[in-house]
Amino acid sequence: MKKLISVLLSVVMLISCFYGCSKQANTSKSDFILKYTLDSHYSTADEATLRSYEKFCSAVENGEPEVKISASMIDAVTQLFYTCFPLYPLVKSMAPLENGAGFSLTYTNDIDTHNALVAQFKNKISDIMNECSYGKVNVNEYIFNVYTYITQNFTLDNNASSTFDTIINSKGHYSYVNSAFEYLALQGGGRACHVVNYDGASTIISTVKFNDEWYFFDPAAEISDNSGKALKYFAMNNKDVKSIYSTDSFLYTDGQKIEKIKNDTYKELRNSTSFTADNSQVKVTISGKNDDFIINFK
C-alpha cells in the first residue's frame, strides 16, 4: 500500500486533479456545504467505491483520526482521493488499523490549524460561487462566469504547491489554475475532467460540457495570453487544440483516450480580443470582423 500511495502522490504532483464524490458533507462553521463532486470521467465508479470514498473525504474534511473502510477498497479509494479530492495536501500519512477495520490518519497540521484551513477553503469556494451567480443562472452561464472569474482574478505562480493553495490564494501553477476551474464547475453542477498530453512539454488542460457539448478549456493560457480580456481558449475542439498546442493527443488522468471533439461552434473565439456580458448574453469582439460573435446560454 505504501508503494501505491507513493506512486499516486507522484502522479498528483503532475496532474493535481482536485475533485471529490457526489454526496455532501456536514459542516459546523458555516452554512456552506462542500459537495464531494467527482471528475466526470470517473463518474462510473461502483457504488461501494463511492461510499467508501465519501467516508474518506468526510473524515479528512472533519479532521477525524481514523476512517472505517474495508481494506479491499483502499486501492480504489486512494486513487480517487489523491487524484480527485481538494483537501489531500492536509493528510500527511495513513496506516491500517490493527483490527483491520479501517485506517488511521495523520494530518499535516494540528487539529485547530487543520479546521481553520478547511474553513478558509470552503469560505473561498462559497465566495467565488456567489460571485459567479451560482443558483441564479443556469449551469452553462455559471460555467462561463467561473471561467471568466478565474481568468480575470487569478494569476500564474509556479510557487503554488497544490490546487488547494491556488484556490485560497487566487494564484498558482498552470495546471492548478485549470484544476480550480474544473473543481468550481463541478461544485456548481457542471461536468468537467482533467486531461493531459505528454508530447514534448506536458500540457494539462480541461474538458467541460458547455451548452450540451464537450469542449476543451484552458483558463491558465487565457491568463498568460491576455489576462482574461478575451476568450481565445474557451470551448475549443480538437482542431483548435492541435493548432495551439501542436498536438491533440490529450488523455484522461488514468491514461484513457478522449473522444474527438469536432464541434466548431466557437471557432471564431480563437481570434477574440474582448467581450461584454449582459442579460445572459455575451458579445465578443473578433479581430477583423465588424459584427460581434454572440454566446447564448441554453
Side-chain angles (χ1 to χ4, degrees):
M1 186 184 74
K2 289 182 179 179
K3 182 178 180 180
L4 171 66
I5 292 175
S6 177
V7 171
L8 288 170
L9 285 170
S10 297
V11 173
V12 167
M13 291 303 295
L14 172 64
I15 64 175
S16 183
C17 246
F18 197 55
Y19 311 105
C21 147
S22 61
K23 296 185 180 177
Q24 298 179 339
N26 293 325
T27 62
S28 59
K29 294 191 175 183
S30 74
D31 294 332
F32 177 71
I33 298 176
L34 190 70
K35 298 176 184 176
Y36 296 152
T37 54
L38 188 70
D39 180 323
S40 298
H41 178 62
Y42 299 96
S43 61
T44 58
D46 64 86
E47 193 63 31
T49 299
L50 292 180
R51 287 197 302 268
S52 295
Y53 179 52
E54 290 164 4
K55 291 177 67 175
F56 199 104
C57 293
S58 178
V60 171
E61 181 181 355
N62 294 296
E64 297 171 5
E66 60 184 43
V67 56
K68 300 293 183 63
I69 59 175
S70 170
S72 65
M73 304 297 300
I74 194 59
D75 286 357
V77 170
T78 52
Q79 180 184 30
L80 289 178
F81 178 75
Y82 284 113
T83 60
C84 296
F85 188 56
L87 305 182
Y88 76 82
L90 301 184
V91 177
K92 184 177 181 180
S93 64
M94 56 184 292
L97 296 174
E98 291 185 1
N99 60 10
F103 297 83
S104 64
L105 301 172
T106 301
Y107 294 99
T108 306
N109 304 287
D110 62 78
I111 190 61
D112 289 338
T113 303
H114 178 91
N115 289 338
L117 288 170
V118 171
Q120 184 180 6
F121 176 80
K122 289 164 63 175
N123 288 339
K124 187 62 179 288
I125 292 295
S126 178
D127 289 344
I128 295 175
M129 292 178 70
N130 286 333
E131 287 289 330
C132 294
S133 298
Y134 173 69
K136 299 177 182 178
V137 298
N138 68 25
V139 67
N140 295 304
E141 187 168 356
Y142 170 77
I143 287 169
F144 175 85
N145 291 345
V146 169
Y147 183 91
T148 56
Y149 178 91
I150 286 179
T151 60
Q152 294 174 1
N153 292 280
F154 279 49
T155 57
L156 299 179
D157 182 353
N158 290 336
N159 292 321
S161 60
S162 68
T163 310
F164 179 87
D165 290 337
T166 297
I167 288 178
I168 287 178
N169 298 312
S170 298
K171 61 181 180 180
H173 184 271
Y174 194 109
S175 64
Y176 303 149
V177 169
N178 288 343
S179 292
F181 167 58
E182 298 151 20
Y183 182 69
L184 285 158
L186 290 163
Q187 281 290 308
R191 299 184 65 189
C193 306
H194 213 51
V195 299
V196 61
N197 81 72
Y198 299 98
D199 295 346
S202 298
T203 303
I204 300 174
I205 59 177
S206 310
T207 57
V208 178
K209 195 170 187 179
F210 175 75
N211 277 352
D212 300 327
E213 299 281 350
W214 284 93
Y215 299 98
F216 294 99
F217 292 78
D218 192 346
E222 201 81 71
I223 295 169
S224 177
D225 185 290
N226 56 74
S227 300
K229 295 181 177 65
L231 296 168
K232 292 182 178 181
Y233 304 88
F234 184 95
M236 300 178 289
N237 62 16
N238 274 80
K239 185 177 180 179
D240 298 326
V241 167
K242 182 67 175 290
S243 175
I244 294 170
Y245 307 99
S246 300
T247 180
D248 63 353
S249 299
F250 282 84
L251 305 172
Y252 293 113
T253 55
D254 62 359
Q256 292 189 25
K257 292 183 178 180
I258 302 169
E259 186 175 346
K260 293 288 184 180
I261 298 174
K262 299 179 180 180
N263 192 301
D264 64 356
T265 299
Y266 303 101
K267 63 181 180 180
E268 292 189 46
L269 296 182
R270 282 352 109 214
N271 295 312
S272 62
T273 58
S274 63
F275 65 91
T276 57
D278 185 42
N279 294 325
S280 296
Q281 186 181 76
V282 182
K283 296 180 180 180
V284 187
T285 302
I286 306 298
S287 178
K289 290 196 64 177
N290 293 325
D291 297 331
D292 291 334
F293 181 87
I294 305 299
I295 299 176
N296 290 304
F297 305 108
K298 296 181 180 179

